[in-house]
Amino acid sequence: MEEFNFVTDVRNVTSSGKIKQKEIIDDFKQKVADNQNNVCNHCGKRIVLVTEFNVDYILPISRGGENSIANSQALCNSCCEKKNSIDKYLQ
């Protein structure tokens, strides 16, 4: 199972010591999408740009899920919005 280490790589830190968050998040999103052959895990829509989808944890971290690519799925913006609406209703 591949963990995604946000700060252990020195390329993720600027010369002033700040973490390059946007680049790290985009890299993680791209790895998740690549792992799913660049399609939405729910509807199968083709994902081309990083801005076209969100990463969703299959088992939420708050419920014991891991911050790993294996526990992540790429959902197009539409499917992610629908899933979030259902999750809020179920809480």
Side-chain angles (χ1 to χ4, degrees), residues 30 33-53 74-79:
Q30 193 59 56
D34 290 345
N35 196 40
Q36 292 178 204
N37 298 317
N38 295 309
V39 296
C40 174
N41 202 38
H42 282 225
C43 71
K45 178 182 175 184
R46 191 100 178 111
I47 296 168
V48 179
L49 302 172
V50 174
T51 57
E52 294 179 338
F53 73 99
L75 299 179
C76 69
N77 293 333
S78 177
C79 288

Side-chain angles (χ1 to χ4, degrees), residues 34-88:
D34 290 345
N35 196 40
Q36 292 178 204
N37 298 317
N38 295 309
V39 296
C40 174
N41 202 38
H42 282 225
C43 71
K45 178 182 175 184
R46 191 100 178 111
I47 296 168
V48 179
L49 302 172
V50 174
T51 57
E52 294 179 338
F53 73 99
N54 290 292
V55 172
D56 176 65
Y57 290 108
I58 299 164
L59 179 61
I61 293 174
S62 62
R63 294 187 182 148
E66 295 180 3
N67 183 19
S68 66
I69 291 175
N71 186 40
S72 302
Q73 60 182 347
L75 299 179
C76 69
N77 293 333
S78 177
C79 288
C80 189
E81 189 175 305
K82 289 175 191 171
K83 183 180 183 297
N84 288 339
S85 296
I86 292 170
D87 288 348
K88 287 177 186 173

